[in-house]
């Protein structure tokens, strides 16, 4: 009996991808073994994060880095670092940001559900740009001058959500932010692969970058990376660590926390709520090394092979076309024909309500297109998907 059977929770076929809602992907046996071993000893948590920092600095090209409990936690910690700096009094007062730099500038089209993590630090989001898309006439998004105009005395940071569609370019936003001496925090949660993106945003000049550890990296589901400038990472870590200790007894690792630059020891900070356990830190470090050891080409070939297995198991459908989409992130794509007799959402629901439950990507369901990600499929899953699609679509 599996652990999930014992709990009475059905294991699902996850063809949605590494979304948190469907529990992300899998951890490799090597990652699981490292986490188990990590749980068998005790360590000083600040020292463990300092060791992580030197590894993450090398991997990302940043001055420093810490393991977080997810990319969203990285956004909260990064924002808190930009607001409080190395001032323990400010750290203690967050999310009350009265009298502090308490605004972040964001391009309106980049606003998303995860910016709640940014706002949790107590800042107000100042939106710029008017993406004129639905009206049909639209060619514009935000422009660099609009970001410059929104930056003022209260601006703690510019927050940028990295993606192929994000406008203006990261390089242009770095230029604007830095010409006003404001740090740039990048949400790069899902920007892997390519593995080169671990260095790309820091290389372009970002001051802080947050990655998800539970997506393509294959780390523990609740893990992430925050990397960037040393002082900002020091502030982020101070607001994340458990600091229930006296000044005399406190001997944090100097490579990451220089206590003599602080007027005193801050109390537990706003990020104490998103603590990371030692097992998570160790698991993420092993996972990110494994991720880097596999070339992008080999990874996408592995994913493409899984997509092909889904295509073979499905065969030809009477009431839909099925195709293998190649590329860096291969997918199996089913497009309902006009005579399918069901909508895209109805197909999604039928898959979800079958045995086993199959969760596909519904983002284009309104257009009758349902796609299947290979990233979190188990070996036996292509056969389940193929059988269900044939039952439903002939
Ligand atoms: C997934 C995602 C996040 C959240 O990442 P977690 O590691 O789950 O906290 C934040 N921003 C974007 C753009 C994402 O895709």
């Amino acid at each position: 009996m599996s652990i999930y059977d014992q709990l009475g929770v059905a294991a699902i076929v996850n063809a949605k991808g590494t979304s948190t809602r469907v529990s992300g992907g899998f951890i490799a046996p090597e990652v699981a073994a490292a986490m188990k071993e990590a749980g068998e000893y005790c360590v000083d948590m600040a020292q463990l994060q300092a060791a992580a920092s030197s590894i993450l600095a090398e991997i990302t090209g940043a001055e420093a880095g810490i393991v977080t409990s997810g990319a969203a936690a990285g956004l909260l910690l990064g924002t808190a670092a930009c607001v409080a700096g190395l001032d323990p009094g400010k750290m203690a007062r967050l999310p009350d940001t009265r009298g502090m730099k308490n605004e972040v500038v964001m391009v309106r089209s980049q606003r998303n559900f995860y910016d709640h993590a940014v706002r949790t630090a107590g800042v107000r989001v100042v939106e710029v740009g008017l993406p004129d898309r639905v009206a049909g006439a639209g060619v514009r998004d935000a422009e660099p001058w609009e970001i410059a105009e929104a930056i003022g005395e209260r601006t703690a940071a510019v927050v940028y959500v990295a993606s192929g569609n994000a406008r203006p370019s990261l390089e242009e936003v770095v230029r604007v932010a830095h010409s006003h001496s404001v740090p740039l925090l990048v949400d790069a949660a899902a920007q892997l692969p390519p593995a080169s993106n671990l260095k790309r945003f820091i290389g372009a000049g970002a001051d802080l970058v947050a990655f998800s550890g539970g997506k393509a990296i294959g780390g523990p589901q609740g893990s992430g990376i925050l990397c960037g400038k040393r002082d900002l990472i020091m502030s982020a870590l101070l607001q994340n660590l458990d600091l229930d200790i006296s000044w005399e007894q406190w001997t944090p690792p100097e490579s990451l926390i220089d206590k003599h630059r602080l007027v005193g020891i801050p109390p537990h900070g706003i990020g104490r709520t998103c603590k990371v356990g030692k097992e998570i830190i160790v698991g993420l470090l092993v996972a990110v090394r494994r991720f880097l050891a596999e070339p992008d080409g080999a990874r996408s070939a592995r994913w493409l092979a899984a997509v092909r297995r889904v295509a073979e198991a499905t065969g030809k459908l009477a009431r839909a076309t099925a195709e293998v989409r190649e590329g860096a992130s291969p997918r199996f794509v089913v497009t309902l024909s006009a005579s399918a007799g069901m909508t895209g959402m109805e197909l999604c629901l039928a898959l979800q309500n079958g045995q086993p439950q199959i969760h596909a990507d519904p983002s284009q369901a309104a257009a009758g297109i349902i796609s299947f990600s290979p990233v979190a499929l188990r070996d036996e899953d292509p056969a389940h998907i193929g059988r269900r699609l044939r039952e439903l679509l002939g």
Side-chain angles (χ1 to χ4, degrees):
M1 238 190 163
S2 86
I3 191 86
Y4 292 114
D5 291 333
Q6 291 173 40
L7 292 167
V9 176
I12 62 173
V13 174
N14 178 6
K16 169 77 171 65
T18 53
S19 304
T20 298
R21 177 170 66 78
V22 285
S23 74
F26 309 119
I27 48 170
E30 206 182 323
V31 175
M35 291 176 73
K36 176 176 178 295
E37 192 180 347
E40 289 167 0
Y41 300 87
C42 289
V43 292
D44 180 289
M45 289 305 291
Q47 277 176 16
L48 183 57
Q49 284 283 22
S53 180
S54 60
I55 293 168
L56 294 174
E58 197 183 313
I59 284 174
T60 62
E63 291 174 7
I66 52 174
V67 179
T68 64
S69 59
L75 295 176
L76 164 60
L77 294 171
T79 306
C82 292
V83 171
L86 296 181
D87 183 334
K90 287 182 178 168
M91 290 179 192
R93 292 203 297 283
L94 293 188
D96 179 350
T97 56
R98 275 174 294 177
M100 304 180 205
K101 291 189 175 187
N102 57 6
E103 293 176 359
V104 303
V105 176
M106 274 187 88
V107 169
R108 191 184 307 261
S109 62
Q110 294 179 19
R111 293 292 310 272
N112 65 80
F113 289 172
Y114 298 106
D115 63 47
H116 205 141
V118 171
R119 291 184 283 125
T120 303
V123 298
R124 185 171 75 85
V125 175
V126 177
E127 292 182 354
V128 302
L130 193 62
D132 178 12
R133 290 187 185 143
V134 171
V139 291
R140 305 229 303 226
D141 202 310
E143 298 188 40
W145 65 263
E146 294 177 288
I147 297 173
E149 225 172 37
I151 294 175
E153 277 171 14
R154 306 206 79 87
T155 309
V158 175
V159 174
Y160 188 86
V161 182
S163 112
N165 308 322
R167 295 287 175 274
S169 73
L170 179 62
E171 286 74 8
E172 286 177 292
V173 178
V174 166
R175 213 173 303 129
V176 176
H178 288 179
S179 69
H180 292 80
S181 305
V182 169
L184 181 73
L185 166 58
V186 174
D187 176 355
Q191 296 302 299
L192 302 170
S196 57
N197 274 357
L198 280 166
K199 286 203 161 97
R200 145 129 174 75
F201 309 106
I202 290 290
D207 299 273
L208 285 169
V209 182
F211 293 101
S212 187
K215 293 180 178 170
I217 289 176
Q221 226 282 294
S223 71
I225 296 170
L226 180 69
C227 60
K229 292 274 156 60
R230 185 180 310 276
D231 283 9
L232 290 172
I233 294 295
M234 171 173 162
S235 173
L237 182 58
L238 282 168
Q239 297 181 77
N240 185 215
L241 282 174
D242 188 288
L243 292 175
D244 199 1
I245 188 170
S246 67
W247 179 259
E248 311 81 76
Q249 197 193 352
W250 192 42
T251 52
E254 280 170 25
S255 61
L256 196 54
I257 297 175
D258 180 359
K259 84 181 242 192
H260 300 292
R261 292 175 64 198
L262 300 170
V263 297
I265 186 167
H268 291 345
I270 193 163
R272 176 64 180 77
T273 41
C274 42
K275 83 170 176 186
V276 270
K278 60 196 173 196
E279 306 85 354
I280 301 289
I281 296 176
V282 169
L284 183 280
L285 294 176
V286 172
V288 75
R289 282 183 160 154
R290 276 188 93 253
F291 173 75
L292 282 168
E294 181 174 35
D296 290 334
R299 185 178 303 108
S300 48
R302 183 163 55 78
W303 286 341
L304 181 60
V307 167
R308 292 228 160 94
R309 283 199 293 279
V310 177
E312 276 156 28
T314 305
K316 255 185 114 54
L317 297 171
R319 293 183 287 144
T321 55
E323 62 175 310
V324 170
R325 200 161 291 166
E326 301 193 17
S329 298
R331 294 195 146 236
F332 181 64
V333 182
V334 170
T335 306
L336 294 175
S337 37
S339 59
M342 70 172 82
T343 64
M345 188 47 78
E346 282 164 353
L347 173 59
C348 262
L349 286 171
L351 290 167
Q352 201 170 307
N353 293 330
Q355 249 318 330
Q357 298 171 33
I358 298 169
H359 290 255
D361 180 351
S363 55
Q364 292 173 277
I369 301 169
I370 301 298
S371 72
F372 298 79
S373 162
V375 176
L377 292 184
R378 292 170 56 85
D379 287 346
E380 63 272 27
D381 290 346
H384 290 307
I385 296 171
R387 178 180 47 76
R388 260 321 258 162
L389 285 175
R390 278 185 278 108
E391 282 170 11
L392 293 164
L393 297 167

